[in-house]
Amino acid sequence: MGFWKFLTGSMELSLLLLLVLAPLCALTAQDRAHKPGHVSVVILGGTGDLARKYLWQGFFELYINQINSGHSFSFYGGGLSPVNKSTPILFEVIKALKCSKDVSQERCAILREQFLRISKYKQLKTLEEYKDLSKSIEKQLKQEGMKEAGRLFYLSVPAFAYAEIADRINSSCRPPNGAWLRVVLEKPFGHDFKSAQVLATQLGSSLKDEEMYRIDHYLGKQVVANILQFRMQNKKHLDPLWNKHFIERVEIVLKETLDVKGRIAFYDEYGVIRDVLQNHLTEVLTLLTMKLPRDLSDSQEVLTNKLHIFTSLLPLSRNQAVTGQYQNYQQEVREELNKTTGFVTATPTFAAVLAHIDETRYEDMPILMMSGKQLDERVGYARVLFKDNVFCLQNQNSVHCKPKQIIFYFGHGSLNYPAILVSKNLFKPDVVDSEWKEVTEHKDKDVTVLGLPISDYYVQTPILEKEAYTELISHIFAGRRNSFVSTENLLASWDFWSPLLTSITDTFPRIYPGGADNKDMLDIFLKGRDLSYVNEVVIISQDHMSGQNPNNFQVMQGKFRNDEMVSGWTEGLIEKLASDIEEAAEKAILESGVFHLALSGGASPLALFHRLVLHHFAFPWGGTHIWMVDERCVPLNDMESNFRSLHDHLLQHVKIPYYNLHPMPVQLNQRLCVEDDRGTWLYQEEIRKFVNASSFHFVLLGVGFDGHTASLFPGVKPEDHGESLVVFTESPSKPHQRMSLTFNALNRAQKVAILMLGKYKHEAVTQLSRVKGETSQWPVTWVKPDGGSLVWYMDYEALLG
Ligand SMILES: *[C@@H]1O[C@H](CO)[C@@H](O)[C@H](O)[C@H]1NC(C)=O
Ligand SMILES: *[C@@H]1O[C@H](CO)[C@@H](O)[C@H](O)[C@H]1NC(C)=O
Ligand SMILES: *[C@@H]1O[C@H](CO)[C@@H](O)[C@H](O)[C@H]1NC(C)=O
Ligand SMILES: *[C@@H]1O[C@H](CO)[C@@H](O)[C@H](O)[C@H]1NC(C)=O
């Protein structure tokens, strides 16, 4: 090092030389592993989706690239189905393989023919069949007088099969000394820390750590694979900037438009955090923040530095994550998993998580990771947004007033090709390597990337776009272990994610409609170390789940508009409400000898009345006074009357003294709701006389589509009614005239329950969840018991639609 410094007098150049020399040094190590010889490749799950789409193509390109290397190859597609069934499928796949643009059609056809000749399908089900595979490899080597270089097993099979296959490989397919064994594994690598550890231990008994290649295909994406290279190459620009003083925040984002139909059996067990954040996005995070190795080709140093970031990540708390679920997901799960309507899943299909690194350099620097299905666009990127310390007095369009950012653009989205973009007000970056080029001419000049027109960036892109799998397959062959996930890194990642995953299992994700309709529903607000949705909507958590549900109905508790919420399937929810009322009744009677219950009309409470009648025989009706929340101005025996409905569905079935009933006096002097008859005053006096401090023990309310509650319709304000407890109101629908308790009366209550049932209430629930504070457009928002509690009772149809 001293010598170089002396020679060049410049640190940068010495670094450059180091880079040039590094691959040379690495060659010696790789040489040893790559003495020309025969390589056997076995793709288990060889006719499966992944193999058909990417793996055979990747291995074909490997074969072409190695054609003059002195290596020879044989390829096996392995699987459970018999040879005569899968062979034709495999041949179809191979016949469709493509060559890169620099290979002529004729040559490609010849190469494909050669590749076909050295490929075959093999049934690999029993131990015997594995032994047989090994024997035929040995036989072939002997016949052709070749030396064995290595064996590569690609496990493109469900994870539960890994341990057994690894065991069979170890016991019957190990190559002789001097040849390498590489076993490639696809995620999922466990479900949490524990299961990942169990799997790692199982695999560890059959395979050495250096024999395992865990694929994270993100690490094969060209832009991701070049993050470290870019940081290294532009060290002189980045070193002073790459810290908490200059970086505003880091965003690592994978947005998808697809749903998960077809893979729900897998997805519902995992969800977006396990599927994307724990692996892909976390890998990107480590590449962006890890200490640069002295030598990029030193796998060990890269892995060690990566691991160091994991140990510096601050533990995630519940307040550092928000989750969502697209609206149709419940239905898709029920259909695909053949579940009844009673089934509900809380698996998130969207998540945003805020991470922090406990290092002086990155202290308090927000790192936002987010991913979701059914979002408005398909795009993946990591953006490093720098702080804006510029005050622009006049020319807001001048270049130093624009956002300063570096974007690692993985693909899709508005740009639609992989690229690294550096905004021009930062610095002009060096191109990462000879396989990359600078883009100066833009096909689409109007395209903007994360807020800046493309012309405001220095852009570089790979000369040839390569499929991630093709790239990784060549890395496996070259033994480049730092493109893969080591056991230590895997466990460290699970160690980081598992506590959060546990803490949100009982949280119901925010439901979002999907696509462009999501609008601002999933916008996120960073607040210190915490994060939340910008718009408050439905968030249910089971934090304070009562647990003592006599009928074992599934009921969840949580928050809605900052108040308590209880939700469940209709029957369970109604039972919960009935029990809560009974509990309140018993408590009130114990304390004061009476229970004052105010009930509303409408269809929703009918199910509650039936439940009370048929299941709550011990309800203390004798001490209960029944009051009306509102009444229509019709005779009490009219079918439209709330009291009539209450009588028919509840009162006639229970033993309640008639002098405990308090219908609203809407009919006086043979006329309906005339001010002069002072019906409202009479009812108010009745309340004052019977109810201590005019404070009902329990009030049951509903909410209309338009947000009305009791008979308080949009446009009303609490102060309209002064101190009155009872008023006449006008309904937009017939019969127009109503008598109603006022907000003043409702808010004196000790407990208020708002009941919302059925799909057609979902829109009102969604709207209400977005309304902040109180508004006359949504009268129910004025219901806020002064000293009492408010609980929303919503069934899943109302809540989830
Ligand atoms: C495959 O071979 C088995 C017997 O060896 C036979 O029963 C079966 O019908 C064959 N299947 C096909 C698709 O040819
Ligand atoms: C592989 O199998 C052998 C016995 O066949 C056993 O001794 C060894 O521990 C196994 N695991 C590894 C990593 O070699
Ligand atoms: C769905 O479940 C029901 C009841 O368990 C069963 O009878 C039916 O066959 C199942 N259908 C499918 C397609 O699995
Ligand atoms: C009536 O209400 C007051 C407070 O409003 C309370 O202190 C008192 O105990 C209540 N009386 C009865 C009998 O419940």
Side-chain angles (χ1 to χ4, degrees), residues 170 174 204-208:
N170 182 42
R174 265 193 184 281
S205 68
S206 306
L207 303 168
K208 299 190 190 88

Side-chain angles (χ1 to χ4, degrees), residues 96-306:
L97 295 176
K98 294 185 194 73
C99 301
S100 56
K101 284 188 203 115
D102 50 346
V103 179
S104 74
Q105 294 237 336
E106 293 79 19
R107 172 123 181 91
C108 188
I110 294 169
L111 290 168
R112 215 164 21 228
E113 195 55 40
Q114 287 174 358
F115 187 71
L116 191 65
R117 239 178 289 141
I118 56 171
S119 302
K120 69 166 145 208
Y121 181 83
K122 206 145 177 33
Q123 187 169 25
L124 289 172
K125 209 170 168 180
T126 62
L127 183 59
E128 282 313 307
E129 284 163 340
Y130 280 83
K131 283 183 179 159
D132 190 54
L133 168 70
S134 193
K135 273 191 207 132
S136 58
I137 291 174
E138 282 152 28
K139 197 168 134 205
Q140 191 195 0
L141 287 162
K142 214 170 184 177
Q143 275 174 358
E144 302 180 17
M146 288 182 297
K147 207 166 156 31
E148 179 155 27
R151 297 183 189 183
L152 193 166
F153 288 83
Y154 200 118
L155 271 52
S156 174
V157 297
F160 64 78
Y162 287 171
E164 191 184 55
I165 294 174
D167 181 49
R168 287 180 173 170
I169 292 171
N170 182 42
S171 65
S172 57
C173 289
R174 265 193 184 281
N177 279 344
W180 47 256
L181 171 67
R182 292 182 190 145
V183 178
V184 187
L185 305 158
E186 279 280 345
K187 70 169 190 183
F189 310 120
H191 188 263
D192 51 20
F193 180 78
K194 249 196 183 141
S195 56
Q197 201 175 32
V198 168
L199 181 62
T201 310
Q202 282 174 337
L203 290 171
S205 68
S206 306
L207 303 168
K208 299 190 190 88
D209 211 27
E210 68 267 22
E211 292 170 339
M212 286 187 253
Y213 285 70
R214 288 190 190 81
I215 291 253
D216 184 322
H217 79 269
Y218 248 62
L219 294 178
K221 285 185 180 283
Q222 285 167 298
V223 168
V224 178
N226 275 302
I227 291 177
L228 286 183
Q229 184 88 353
F230 175 85
R231 288 181 55 198
M232 200 84 141
Q233 200 86 331
N234 292 287
K235 202 171 180 324
K236 69 167 181 239
H237 302 295
L238 292 176
D239 261 356
L241 296 178
W242 213 250
N243 57 58
K244 64 184 177 193
H245 299 298
F246 288 88
I247 296 178
E248 170 76 28
R249 66 167 176 268
V250 176
E251 299 165 2
I252 307 169
V253 174
L254 173 62
K255 289 168 75 177
E256 297 181 277
T257 50
L258 284 177
D259 53 26
V260 280
K261 262 190 232 157
R263 50 189 290 257
I264 282 179
F266 162 81
Y267 197 90
D268 200 51
E269 288 290 310
Y270 286 80
V272 67
I273 295 181
R274 293 180 171 92
D275 194 36
V276 176
L277 277 71
Q278 178 271 327
N279 37 57
H280 308 324
L281 303 194
T282 306
E283 287 296 328
V284 173
L285 181 153
T286 59
L287 294 173
L288 287 172
T289 53
M290 66 186 262
K291 189 168 154 242
L292 285 176
R294 273 160 308 163
D295 173 359
L296 269 185
S297 62
D298 182 343
S299 287
Q300 199 45 54
E301 199 191 351
V302 173
L303 291 177
T304 306
N305 291 2
K306 245 182 168 182

